[in-house]
Amino acid sequence: MSDNDTKKPTGDAQTPPKGAPTDTPAAKIGPEPSNPPAGAKMDNPPAAASGPTGTPPPKPAAPPAGGPPPKPQPKNPGFVTAVIDGREVVVKPGTNMIEAAKTVGSEIPYYCYHPRLSIAANCRICLIEASNAPKLVPACQTPMAEGQVIKTTTPKVKEQQRAVMEFLLLNHPVDCSICDQAGECKLQDYYMKYDYKPSRLEGTKALKHKRKVLGPRVVLDQERCIICTRCVRFMNEIPKEPQLGVFGRGSHERIDVFPGNELDSNYSLNTVDVCPVGALLSRDFRFKARSWFLSATPSVCTGCSRGCSISADWMSQDTYRYRPRENEAINKSWMCDQGRLSYKDLNVGRVLAARVGRGLQAPGTVQPVLTRKDAALGAVKALKPLAGSKQLAVLASPLASNEDLLAGLTFAKTVLGVTQVFVGGRPQGKADHYLMTADKNPNRQGLALIAKGLGLSLKGFEELTPAINAGQVKALYAVGTEVPTDAAAFAEAAAKLEVFVAQAQNESPVTAQATVLLPASAHIEDEGTFTQADGITQRFRKAYPSKGDAVPHWKWATELTRELGGEAAAASARDVWRALSGKVSEFAEFNWDKASPPDREKPGINPLPSGADGRPPGYREFGAPRVRGI
């Protein structure tokens, strides 16, 4: 993690000059208890009453002539007490006015401010009235002072907001109808709230580069940019890869990459998140969907073992993009580009129907259509004679959720009599200096904990192929068919298996060799938990129903258990967790219900954790599946 991202800006990133509003004591118009007015100077003050000993109490020291008045005593020691729009607020010292106003329900508009970036104070739309300043002050840069009275809705403030909006829109192109940011754009939202006036520009707008490709994943529309510099500050301060800068002067100022370079960071798409307007756009998401048609579901990224908290944006039964979701302990407000683009496996190449028999029939051969019941019976018929045999092995994927693994490995131990489990999953990849880890499996830690709790030993995948080739393993039950080696190479070994029952999410050369193939749901299609690399267990929610005939791994394991005479009554992932998680001591403190994130974000203009600070997701429910190329 970068050093800069371990601490939040205090709101006073720049030292104010001497005599600035933040150095001036509070004015007399604050609340009486927290900001007592200075009394009038009297030549002959009244005599004070004598104490018990007859000695008058000492007089308070008078301030030196011409000096500043004494600072008000804090009403709440250790905190700052002030008034915002007539409501008292108590905040920590150093809290800026924007954050303080949020605590009492007052909204101060802003573009350039971001709570995880340094303060720029260059958009000027957050100027408000403060009792200890003669002029309007920037709320993003100014910390709260004791006894301060702040007003955010006065005519003077409203006129300032209107003027700033008019200035920002002076050269902004009116292309909302084709802009991907439409529907989640702060420029649109604030125009309707703070300006709502026609342009007074006479002549043509300043023309700039309309489609500037900054790198492999980001394109820039310089005409839409309002020079808030969020993207520049993000690249400088979070991944510490300064690849963007501000060039030019005046109305010809623009954001661009440095000459001879491109925006090729693994965190480049975070600049699209923090951009408050439609200037920076994802080349992957561009022109794919309107934001008001998308619904957002809190989930977990499966791109690596970091397990970044995300919001999955979807429509119908297609996932369109991942956005980072606030999680202070894991990814704060960011995520890497590799994880952000890992959603594509949810849409294409899915196993949608069950199959009995290997999938390598002659061209034109029609596979028989099987119901889920028929598929389960086919798997039971294949596995039942092998229960307790040393020739039966189990392959478990660390891409499966804790609930899937709890049910699947419990079935493998209690019904199939297996004591060892081979670990599959994706191969190791590259790590970076910030969030991305080399382990590309989201639940390897959870698999290790569950195997330990159930008394199963884990074996490396590299031992499975030699065991198959030597004839030691003749049957395989797989919870997930992802393998850390070349899939085609392992498929040659799998072809030697007499029985291969595979629960799979995506088609591959390995699934083609399955004697019984059972379609499994993706994590986005069910509820559950993952345990990431640091041992933190997170809940994710269901976005839309499973594609085709797919059901979760835990459900297949439950049906197979019942068909083979075992006891399994789970009807949901929650039931699986409540019934089986007690066997894993590390899960004892995790409350499955209380750890659940909200199933939907509130409609309207909300600050979202991705840094867009006002992107409302759509709220359309799922419909019929559609075929869409990605």
Side-chain angles (χ1 to χ4, degrees):
M1 298 249 178
S2 64
D3 296 336
N4 185 78
D5 205 34
T6 60
K7 54 185 179 180
K8 272 194 174 184
T10 60
D12 54 352
Q14 301 177 10
T15 305
K18 191 173 182 180
T22 54
D23 288 340
T24 307
K28 299 195 296 183
I29 60 175
E32 188 67 24
S34 58
N35 190 22
K41 221 173 180 183
M42 302 179 68
D43 293 333
N44 299 312
S50 298
T53 59
T55 307
K59 299 178 181 178
K71 291 185 178 180
Q73 294 300 314
K75 183 177 180 181
N76 298 283
F79 294 89
V80 174
T81 305
V83 174
I84 300 178
D85 292 336
R87 294 181 290 271
E88 185 178 85
V89 59
V90 180
V91 295
K92 294 180 179 179
T95 303
N96 64 40
M97 295 177 175
I98 288 179
E99 298 297 334
K102 289 179 182 178
T103 65
V104 293
S106 292
E107 179 188 359
I108 299 177
Y110 57 87
Y111 287 111
C112 65
Y113 170 72
H114 190 285
R116 294 195 184 275
L117 302 177
S118 60
I119 306 298
N122 58 5
C123 74
R124 314 310 284 180
I125 198 172
C126 69
L127 297 182
I128 50 88
E129 285 192 41
S131 61
N132 59 347
K135 298 181 180 179
L136 299 181
V137 296
C140 65
Q141 192 181 31
T142 311
M144 298 295 296
E146 180 68 26
Q148 205 172 32
V149 176
I150 294 172
K151 298 178 181 179
T152 68
T153 58
T154 63
K156 187 176 181 181
V157 171
K158 288 184 176 295
E159 173 57 25
Q160 165 68 18
Q161 293 166 346
R162 189 210 61 77
V164 169
M165 284 300 304
E166 183 179 24
F167 172 74
L168 293 178
L169 291 168
L170 201 62
N171 287 302
H172 193 84
V174 188
D175 55 4
C176 299
S177 58
I178 63 167
C179 180
D180 273 326
Q181 194 83 345
E184 51 186 15
C185 175
K186 292 185 72 175
L187 207 58
Q188 288 179 333
D189 298 335
Y190 288 165
Y191 169 76
M192 300 301 292
K193 190 168 185 179
Y194 300 110
D195 185 9
Y196 206 60
K197 296 291 193 301
S199 174
R200 295 184 290 173
L201 176 67
E202 295 181 0
T204 59
K205 295 176 181 284
L207 302 180
K208 301 177 185 178
H209 205 311
K210 196 68 180 165
R211 288 170 294 277
K212 172 74 174 181
V213 177
L214 298 183
R217 293 174 290 276
V218 179
V219 62
L220 169 66
D221 188 326
Q222 291 177 343
E223 291 184 353
R224 298 175 185 167
C225 180
I226 61 172
I227 315 295
C228 71
T229 69
R230 274 186 178 187
C231 54
V232 178
R233 284 176 283 142
F234 169 81
M235 293 303 300
N236 291 350
E237 299 165 12
I238 306 303
K240 297 187 182 298
E241 297 173 328
Q243 298 176 355
L244 296 175
V246 182
F247 302 87
R249 293 291 183 90
S251 60
H252 295 282
E253 200 172 32
R254 67 195 185 279
I255 300 291
D256 208 340
V257 291
F258 293 102
N261 295 294
E262 64 175 2
L263 183 60
D264 59 354
S265 167
N266 191 32
Y267 296 88
S268 62
L269 286 173
N270 288 280
T271 62
V272 178
D273 285 336
V274 300
C275 182
V277 296
L280 289 165
L281 300 170
S282 165
R283 297 179 69 182
D284 174 71
F285 180 71
R286 193 166 180 241
F287 300 139
K288 290 286 178 63
R290 286 300 198 183
S291 64
W292 52 83
F293 290 136
L294 298 177
S295 294
T297 298
S299 190
V300 176
C301 176
T302 59
C304 75
S305 61
R306 177 70 63 187
C308 293
S309 296
I310 62 166
S311 292
D313 291 349
W314 55 274
M315 177 171 58
S316 185
Q317 283 178 297
D318 283 338
T319 302
Y320 280 73
R321 63 180 177 182
Y322 284 167
R323 290 180 294 115
R325 182 165 52 89
E326 187 85 7
N327 191 323
E328 189 69 28
I330 298 177
N331 60 310
K332 302 193 186 309
S333 299
W334 322 114
M335 69 182 298
C336 71
D337 290 0
Q338 178 178 306
R340 193 185 291 262
L341 299 177
S342 64
Y343 72 89
K344 297 187 178 183
D345 286 343
L346 304 176
N347 299 333
V348 295
R350 295 288 302 276
V351 178
L352 301 179
R355 187 188 72 235
V356 174
R358 300 191 189 272
L360 300 176
Q361 277 82 3
T365 303
V366 179
Q367 288 281 359
V369 178
L370 296 178
T371 64
R372 196 169 78 206
K373 180 77 171 177
D374 294 336
L377 291 176
V380 167
K381 184 179 179 180
L383 292 173
K384 191 171 184 178
L386 298 165
S389 171
K390 291 185 178 180
Q391 294 182 332
L392 173 62
V394 171
L395 175 66
S397 171
L399 273 76
S401 70
N402 287 325
E403 291 73 16
D404 293 335
L405 294 172
L406 282 168
L409 297 188
T410 299
F411 164 70
K413 180 184 178 180
T414 60
V415 179
L416 299 182
V418 174
T419 59
Q420 295 180 331
V421 175
F422 292 93
V423 180
R426 297 175 182 144
Q428 293 288 101
K430 292 182 179 180
D432 65 18
H433 62 290
Y434 190 40
L435 290 177
M436 190 172 71
T437 63
D439 184 4
K440 302 306 176 185
N441 301 281
N443 203 30
R444 188 178 297 276
Q445 187 76 4
L447 173 57
L449 294 177
I450 291 168
K452 174 186 172 185
L454 296 178
L456 297 170
S457 61
L458 296 179
K459 302 184 71 174
F461 180 81
E462 65 278 1
E463 301 180 41
L464 179 57
T465 300
I468 295 175
N469 292 332
Q472 298 172 0
V473 173
K474 295 185 177 180
L476 183 65
Y477 167 65
V479 182
T481 55
E482 297 83 9
V483 294
T485 59
D486 179 53
F490 178 68
E492 294 180 4
K496 302 175 183 178
L497 292 168
E498 296 176 5
V499 174
F500 183 14
V501 177
Q503 298 170 188
Q505 173 184 317
N506 289 88
E507 297 275 4
S508 71
V510 177
T511 61
Q513 296 296 343
T515 58
V516 179
L517 181 62
L518 308 176
S521 303
H523 76 286
I524 204 75
E525 297 166 349
D526 191 39
E527 293 188 294
T529 58
F530 287 130
T531 302
Q532 53 96 250
D534 298 324
I536 301 174
T537 300
Q538 301 179 84
R539 272 283 309 273
F540 56 84
R541 281 192 173 269
K542 177 179 179 178
Y544 47 79
S546 300
K547 291 177 181 287
D549 295 331
V551 295
H553 288 291
W554 64 260
K555 199 158 193 174
W556 281 122
T558 300
E559 292 189 12
L560 294 178
T561 300
R562 285 199 295 261
E563 295 295 338
L564 285 169
E567 294 184 3
S572 66
R574 180 176 182 269
D575 292 342
V576 173
W577 179 269
R578 296 187 67 180
L580 302 176
S581 64
K583 300 178 181 180
V584 183
S585 58
E586 289 81 1
F587 291 159
E589 297 182 359
F590 183 79
N591 190 310
W592 202 85
D593 293 317
K594 290 186 178 179
S596 173
D599 60 345
R600 292 288 185 274
E601 298 173 41
K602 295 179 180 179
I605 303 173
N606 302 273
L608 292 187
S610 65
D613 309 314
R615 299 179 168 208
Y619 295 91
R620 298 296 179 99
E621 295 302 320
F622 54 83
R626 297 186 302 108
V627 178
R628 181 175 67 89
I630 294 183

